[in-house]
């Protein structure tokens, strides 16, 4: 044996593992994948480092590497270092961080070779005579596409053509070649529009700083032309032979967004979202790594794409919470993207109509530059917003008479109406009139939600499903009532009011498949549905030109939440929703139903707008050192036995208390607000500090001690740095 190789293994242990190899250490560059024995399994690991000095440690106990999977490191040095930073910052085991960064097929050990395909190419550009009509057409097509076309592309244009191609091949007019399978590019591009002054200024500012790190917050209301700015910047980067990484939220709007890029750029664009197959994902990832994909558009995990010559990172809807992973490695893609841009010395653009308080704070501190787009690019005016008191006359299912009449007017005028209610299902409560029994989940501290259409009760926290009871399980009466309304009920009520008008419900239940959502969006744009009822899924990014009225059915949920971010999220949601109205030529109107029309948040938001409101919320956070002004870390634990989670966290607290110099405030442990979920009792310990550093120092110092606690191997526990969800 000639070297010892230190390897990251996908397992919860916070360390690398040593293995023996009969190759010299020079064969083991970091970032190479290996297959190794681990316990009773064989796993795929990543080389961290290696050395030849076998005398330094006893090697008799070390196991031998089974297989070397890559000749060249799959993980480039840049990505390798980034993942190490991620592991350190999020205090997460290095092996699991590599897991999170790699496409499934690659982390399972599949070859890192790019897929190839057969293409047809002409042998000479000389003019041909004496050919059959079909053969002549093929030659003409291949002359136009001198770099070759695959069978499918030829068939698409000329119909069945295989036999003619074979004849041409026999005449040595065309040849078949193997070539790396590349993403297709659009042949006919749509023309670019002339940027307005604000857009041009944004593009120029970023462009002028392209050779060093700079962060830009592009704030512009929906429809102000942010996407257009991204497209122009991307175009310029491509002309400069650079790649562009674009992150988008994890919702159904990918298709529309990607389509716009495809129609405008003669570029190889790859998409990394949940709708693509594992094979495609691997191919796209590798293409990006080799510099063969020009633009990568993807959701959260695309931040880990290997990129050979990236020149710019763009994050659209940067405030969106889907950038934060909520289990396993609890990273925030925006945070990682910023670190990555900094290390690469390239600019990053964060775009939003409703920037996060985090990003606004960085602007305030001078770390990001603010670029604003104040006008709607198409000249459409912003809608009028009005609060409607739900204490007033109400028609049914919580729709006030005022909202009802407004819907009626717009429908009569042939327009579309968009209604928001942030609750799926028919009703959130099923209750017995006689004995007050309520349907609750047996696995969670939560109510079961009534889903009428499927005749079930469903828990939205663990997915538990029961048949809809016909009688009270406690007192056997049949006097069961629902309270409150969800999308399904609103849909039904409105269909009752407007029997001749097509009503469409859009939520996670109605659009299970990823592409179903794209179909729905198209259907709406074509005017197929007049009344649209949906969850916040519908609030983002879509361009529905005929929508003239937006109604928010219940805006109160965020006003009284225990979560300190609830008001920020509500302000963002309402602003986004408002942006859906009047995007076309017709003016729009927004009605927001609330029981608290006088609430300060409404006064601020409706009277003074999002920026003012956000500034005020930020000030409140700063006064009490909450993020983004302060730093938080949540340590969570859960177990089937009620006391164990708390007990574990109590031991963690005791460890912290030994040395903590009160720079970090430790709160708890306390049971989570919803203590029981999916059959497990949950508890949490919150670390808070006006600065980031002391929290990390505390964790660095004690994480190993904590990991070695007996209970640490019994309960499920996790560390959440910069948690978004405190509930
Ligand atoms: P956002 O991303 O901020 O919501 P978009 O880039 O989607 O805004 O622009 C909204 C609409 O305005 C789109 O239909 C877009 O084609 C159009 N648009 C954007 N910029 C311009 C411009 N400079 N001139 C004309 N139309 C524009
Ligand atoms: Zn009862
Ligand atoms: Zn449940």
């Amino acid at each position: 044996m000639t070297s010892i190789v230190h390897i990251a293994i996908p397992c919860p242990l916070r360390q690398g593992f040593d293995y023996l190899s009969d190759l010299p250490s020079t064969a083991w560059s970091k970032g190479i994948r290996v297959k190794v024995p681990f316990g009773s399994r064989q796993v795929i690991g990543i080389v961290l480092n290696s050395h030849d000095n076998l005398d330094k440690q006893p090697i008799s106990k070390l196991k031998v590497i089974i297989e070397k999977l890559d000749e060249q490191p799959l993980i480039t040095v840049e990505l390798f270092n980034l993942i190490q930073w991620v592991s350190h910052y999020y205090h997460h085991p290095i092996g699991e961080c590599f897991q999170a960064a790699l496409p499934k097929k690659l982390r399972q050990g599949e070859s890192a070779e790019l897929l190839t395909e057969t293409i047809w190419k002409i042998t000479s550009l000389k003019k041909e005579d004496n050919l059959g009509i079909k053969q002549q057409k093929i030659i003409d097509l291949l002359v136009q596409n001198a770099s070759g076309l695959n069978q499918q592309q030829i068939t698409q244009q000329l119909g069945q053509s295989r036999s003619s191609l074979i004849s041409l091949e026999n005449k040595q007019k065309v040849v078949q070649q193997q070539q790396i399978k590349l993403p297709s590019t659009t042949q006919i591009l749509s023309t670019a529009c002339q940027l307005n002054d604000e857009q041009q200024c944004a593009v120029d500012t970023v462009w002028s700083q392209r050779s060093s790190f700079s962060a830009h917050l592009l704030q512009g209301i929906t429809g102000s032309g942010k996407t257009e700015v991204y497209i122009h910047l991307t175009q310029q980067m491509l002309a400069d032979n650079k790649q562009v990484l674009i992150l988008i939220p994890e919702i159904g709007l990918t298709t529309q967004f990607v389509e716009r890029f495809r129609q405008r750029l003669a570029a190889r664009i790859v998409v990394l979202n949940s709708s693509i197959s594992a094979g495609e994902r691997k191919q796209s990832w590798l293409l990006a790594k080799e510099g063969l994909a020009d633009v990568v558009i993807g959701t959260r995990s695309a931040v880990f794409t290997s990129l050979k010559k990236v020149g710019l990172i763009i994050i659209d809807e940067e405030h969106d919470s889907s950038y934060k992973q909520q289990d396993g490695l609890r990273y925030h893609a925006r945070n990682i993207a910023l670190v990555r841009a900094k290390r690469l010395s390239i600019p990053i653009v964060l775009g939003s109509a409703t920037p996060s308080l985090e990003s606004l704070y960085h602007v305030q501190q001078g770390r990001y530059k603010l670029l604003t787009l104040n006008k709607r690019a198409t000249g459409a005016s912003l809608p009028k917003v009005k609060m409607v008191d739900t204490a007033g006359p109400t028609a049914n299912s919580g729709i006030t008479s005022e909202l009802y009449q407004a819907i009626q007017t717009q429908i009569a005028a042939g327009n579309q109406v968009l209604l928001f209610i942030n609750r799926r299902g028919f009703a959130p409560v099923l209750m017995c009139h006689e004995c007050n029994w309520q349907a609750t989940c047996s696995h969670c501290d939560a109510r079961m939600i009534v889903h009428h259409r499927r005749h079930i009760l469903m828990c939205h926290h663990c997915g538990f499903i029961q048949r809809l009871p016909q009688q009270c399980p406690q007192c056997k009466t049949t006097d069961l009532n629902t309270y409150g309304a969800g999308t399904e009920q609103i849909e039904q009520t409105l269909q009752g009011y407007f029997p001749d008008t097509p009503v469409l419900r859009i939520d996670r239940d109605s659009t299970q498949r990823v592409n179903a959502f794209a179909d729905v969006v198209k259907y709406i744009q074509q005017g197929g549905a007049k009344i649209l009822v949906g969850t916040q899924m519908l609030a983002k990014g879509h361009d529905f030109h005929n929508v003239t009225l937006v109604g928010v059915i219940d805006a109160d949920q965020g006003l009284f939440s225990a979560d300190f971010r609830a008001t920020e999220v509500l302000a963002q949601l309402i602003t986004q929703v408002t942006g859906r109205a009047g995007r076309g030529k017709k003016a729009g109107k927004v009605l927001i139903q609330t029981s608290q029309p006088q609430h300060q948040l409404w006064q601020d938001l409706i009277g003074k707008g999002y920026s003012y409101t956000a500034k005020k919320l930020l000030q409140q956070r700063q006064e009490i050192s909450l993020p983004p002004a302060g730093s938080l870390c949540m340590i969570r634990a859960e177990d089937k036995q009620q006391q164990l989670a708390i007990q574990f966290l109590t031991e963690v607290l005791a460890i912290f208390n030994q040395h903590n110099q009160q720079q970090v405030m430790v709160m708890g442990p306390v049971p989570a607000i919803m203590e029981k979920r999916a059959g497990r009792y949950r508890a949490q310990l919150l670390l808070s500090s006006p600065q980031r550093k002391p929290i990390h120092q505390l964790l660095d110092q004690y994480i190993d001690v904590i990991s070695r606690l007996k209970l640490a191997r019994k309960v499920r526990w996790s560390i959440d740095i910069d948690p978004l969800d405190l509930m």
Side-chain angles (χ1 to χ4, degrees):
M1 290 298 157
T2 59
S3 64
I4 293 178
V5 188
H6 199 53
I7 293 172
I9 302 285
C11 77
L13 298 176
R14 291 160 194 279
Q15 65 189 79
F17 296 84
D18 285 336
Y19 286 84
L20 283 175
S21 159
D22 47 15
L23 298 172
S25 66
T26 47
W28 294 109
S29 310
K30 60 186 184 183
I32 284 179
R33 291 174 304 159
V34 290
K35 189 189 276 179
V36 292
F38 189 72
S40 56
R41 298 175 297 146
Q42 292 188 354
V43 299
I44 308 298
I46 307 283
V47 174
L48 294 170
N49 56 58
S50 61
H51 63 87
D52 296 316
N53 195 347
L54 302 195
D55 311 332
K56 268 205 322 215
Q57 64 192 97
I59 59 167
S60 57
K61 282 198 184 132
L62 296 185
K63 290 183 179 157
V64 179
I65 292 173
I66 298 170
E67 194 183 346
K68 183 180 182 188
L69 295 175
D70 303 310
E71 276 314 309
Q72 296 303 317
L74 176 69
I75 309 205
T76 57
V77 174
E78 185 254 329
L79 189 60
F80 187 97
N81 292 341
L82 182 76
I83 294 169
Q84 271 196 325
W85 176 86
V86 166
S87 169
H88 192 231
Y89 182 83
Y90 289 102
H91 301 271
H92 198 75
I94 181 76
E96 291 192 352
C97 293
F98 279 114
Q99 276 283 95
L102 284 177
K104 189 162 152 219
K105 297 235 168 196
L106 291 173
R107 65 175 184 253
Q108 288 173 342
E110 256 195 26
S111 138
E113 253 171 54
L114 281 159
L115 280 183
T116 59
E117 63 176 353
T118 309
I119 55 147
W120 294 94
K121 266 177 122 163
I122 45 162
T123 48
S124 107
L125 284 169
K126 223 173 68 215
K127 211 160 163 36
E128 294 294 338
D129 309 311
N130 311 328
L131 290 174
I133 298 177
K134 188 70 174 236
Q135 293 185 6
Q136 189 60 54
K137 277 190 177 162
I138 290 175
I139 293 293
D140 291 346
L141 183 66
L142 290 179
V143 168
Q144 280 167 28
N145 296 276
S147 58
L149 292 175
N150 64 25
Q151 183 75 57
Q152 194 194 355
Q153 288 165 326
I154 297 172
T155 310
Q156 249 169 26
Q157 306 222 19
L158 303 177
Q160 196 39 264
S161 45
R162 177 130 193 116
S163 54
S164 310
L165 278 162
I166 300 288
S167 322
L168 285 168
E169 189 183 24
N170 291 336
K171 292 180 203 161
Q172 296 181 348
K173 303 286 182 209
V174 301
V175 287
Q176 300 192 49
Q177 277 178 9
Q178 280 300 112
Q179 178 181 292
I180 290 170
K181 196 162 189 289
L182 295 170
S184 59
T185 53
T186 312
Q187 298 297 322
I188 303 144
L189 300 175
S190 54
T191 44
C193 57
Q194 184 80 35
L195 294 183
N196 64 34
D197 290 349
E198 286 178 329
Q199 287 172 315
Q200 192 62 53
C201 171
V203 169
D204 292 345
T205 306
V206 178
W207 183 247
S208 68
Q209 298 180 34
R210 65 188 174 284
S211 41
S212 61
F213 169 72
S214 55
H216 306 265
L217 178 63
L218 178 63
Q219 181 174 10
I221 53 169
T222 19
S224 60
K226 295 183 294 297
T227 311
E228 213 44 54
V229 170
Y230 307 153
I231 293 174
H232 274 80
L233 276 170
T234 303
Q235 209 158 23
Q236 289 177 212
M237 282 290 161
L238 297 181
D240 205 25
N241 195 27
K242 292 277 167 43
Q243 292 170 297
V244 178
L245 171 65
I246 305 175
L247 299 183
I248 53 174
E250 200 174 62
I251 32 165
L253 59 69
T254 329
T255 327
Q256 223 184 350
F257 189 85
V258 173
E259 222 21 64
R260 272 180 74 182
F261 276 79
R262 282 201 206 286
Q263 282 165 10
R264 291 282 297 286
L265 304 171
R268 296 177 187 141
I269 301 176
V270 293
V271 178
L272 295 170
N273 67 2
S274 53
S275 73
I276 63 169
S277 69
E280 267 178 280
R281 179 177 288 269
K282 173 185 145 187
Q283 178 80 354
S284 300
W285 197 89
L286 291 171
L287 285 171
K289 174 173 186 267
E290 299 304 329
L292 294 171
D294 307 312
V295 181
V296 175
I297 304 181
T299 48
R300 184 175 65 227
S301 65
V303 75
F304 293 116
T305 314
S306 204
L307 295 150
K308 191 172 187 180
K309 42 177 187 176
V310 60
L312 172 70
I313 302 177
I314 294 170
I315 305 187
D316 189 32
E317 308 280 352
E318 63 86 28
H319 65 281
D320 195 277
S321 60
S322 74
Y323 287 122
K324 168 89 176 165
Q325 171 128 323
Q326 300 287 14
D327 55 10
L329 169 60
R330 292 167 161 78
Y331 67 96
H332 201 301
R334 184 184 60 215
N335 188 24
I336 296 182
L338 277 152
V339 170
R340 200 169 178 191
K342 196 165 198 170
R343 293 170 157 236
L344 286 163
S345 295
I346 59 170
I348 178 168
V349 176
L350 314 174
S352 177
T354 52
S356 60
L357 296 193
E358 267 73 13
S359 295
L360 290 170
Y361 178 67
H362 289 308
V363 169
Q364 198 189 78
Q365 303 288 310
R367 287 192 281 264
Y368 300 176
K369 297 194 182 66
L370 181 66
L371 304 166
T372 42
L373 306 178
N374 288 310
K375 293 185 289 285
R376 275 190 162 176
T378 52
S381 56
L382 274 177
K384 288 199 173 55
V385 183
K386 190 177 172 211
M387 307 308 295
V388 179
D389 195 340
T390 45
T394 297
N396 204 347
S397 304
I399 297 174
T400 56
S401 310
E402 185 169 351
L403 179 57
Y404 169 71
Q405 274 157 20
I407 297 172
Q408 203 171 27
T409 310
Q410 295 308 321
I411 295 304
N415 298 324
Q416 279 176 319
V417 174
L418 208 57
L419 296 173
F420 286 95
I421 172 134
N422 227 353
R423 193 185 286 132
R424 291 184 292 135
F426 184 83
V429 185
L430 181 70
M431 208 173 150
C432 170
H433 223 67
E434 283 294 319
C435 74
N436 287 340
W437 168 86
Q438 284 189 26
T440 53
C441 177
S442 45
H443 308 281
C444 305
D445 294 330
R447 291 200 187 96
M448 295 290 274
I449 311 295
V450 179
H451 286 246
H452 231 266
R453 194 160 301 208
R454 293 171 62 195
H455 293 286
I456 55 164
L457 289 171
M458 188 203 282
C459 173
H460 284 185
H461 298 281
C462 71
F464 180 60
I465 287 177
Q466 276 179 312
R467 283 185 58 166
L468 197 59
Q470 299 304 315
Q471 51 172 219
C472 171
Q474 206 161 273
C475 73
K476 309 296 177 209
T477 58
T478 51
D479 201 2
L480 297 178
N481 277 317
T482 63
Y483 292 90
T487 46
E488 202 183 298
Q489 185 171 161
I490 301 290
E491 176 196 19
Q492 196 174 312
T493 305
L494 289 168
Q495 195 63 83
Y497 286 150
F498 305 101
D500 303 323
T501 305
V503 179
L504 185 68
R505 171 168 58 94
I506 299 117
D507 55 26
R508 237 188 312 146
D509 301 317
S510 72
T511 54
Q512 290 282 340
R513 285 182 308 116
V514 172
N515 289 328
F517 190 65
D519 295 343
V520 164
V521 169
K522 200 174 264 173
Y523 180 68
I524 297 171
Q525 283 168 335
Q526 288 161 354
K530 291 295 177 202
I531 301 178
L532 314 160
V533 180
T535 53
Q536 58 177 341
M537 209 177 172
L538 208 55
K540 305 175 184 177
H542 301 283
D543 205 348
F544 302 134
H545 277 277
N546 249 327
V547 170
T548 48
L549 172 67
V550 165
V552 180
I553 293 186
D554 178 10
D556 288 350
Q557 282 173 44
L559 288 180
F560 307 106
S561 169
D563 182 354
F564 75 90
R565 290 184 207 270
T567 39
E568 175 190 356
V569 172
L570 180 63
Q572 288 165 345
L573 182 65
I574 296 293
T575 310
Q576 296 276 343
V577 162
T578 304
R580 299 297 113 214
R583 295 199 62 170
K585 295 203 171 58
K586 302 170 192 165
K589 184 173 168 184
V590 178
L591 295 179
I592 299 172
Q593 295 194 154
T594 172
S595 64
Q596 309 287 322
Q598 300 309 319
H599 197 285
Q600 190 60 44
L601 185 79
W602 300 134
Q603 308 288 326
D604 293 343
L605 194 60
I606 309 307
K608 308 229 168 78
Y610 180 79
S611 288
Y612 175 88
T613 309
K615 206 173 273 175
K616 211 165 143 182
L617 293 174
L618 181 55
Q619 203 174 349
Q620 291 165 5
R621 299 251 191 107
Q622 281 170 301
E623 277 159 17
I624 45 176
S625 288
L626 275 174
S631 199
L632 294 178
C633 166
M634 181 77 93
I635 303 181
R636 296 194 183 82
E638 56 174 60
D639 195 78
K640 287 188 180 136
Q641 292 181 50
Q642 189 159 15
Q643 281 318 310
L644 284 193
I646 290 272
Q647 203 178 318
F648 168 70
L649 292 178
T650 308
E651 290 178 18
V652 173
L653 175 68
I655 291 172
F656 286 153
N657 278 345
Q658 281 166 19
H659 287 278
N660 183 14
Q661 308 292 326
Q662 291 178 341
Q663 291 188 53
V664 178
M665 194 155 85
V666 187
M667 287 164 280
V670 290
I673 288 186
M674 187 201 297
E675 185 180 11
K676 191 174 159 203
R677 192 168 75 188
R680 291 171 173 275
Y681 294 89
R682 311 179 310 145
Q684 54 199 38
L685 189 68
L686 185 66
L687 313 186
S688 132
S689 170
Q691 276 97 37
R692 202 180 276 281
K693 217 164 168 194
I695 290 186
H696 286 273
Q697 280 170 343
L698 196 62
L699 289 170
D700 282 338
Q701 204 171 348
Y702 293 112
I703 194 87
D704 286 335
V705 185
I706 293 169
S707 304
R708 283 197 294 272
L709 287 174
K710 224 165 148 193
L711 275 176
R713 258 164 274 168
K714 179 129 195 359
V715 305
R716 268 193 209 165
W717 63 283
S718 62
I719 293 174
D720 191 352
I721 301 289
D722 310 328
L724 277 192
D725 180 11
L726 297 187
M727 308 290 277

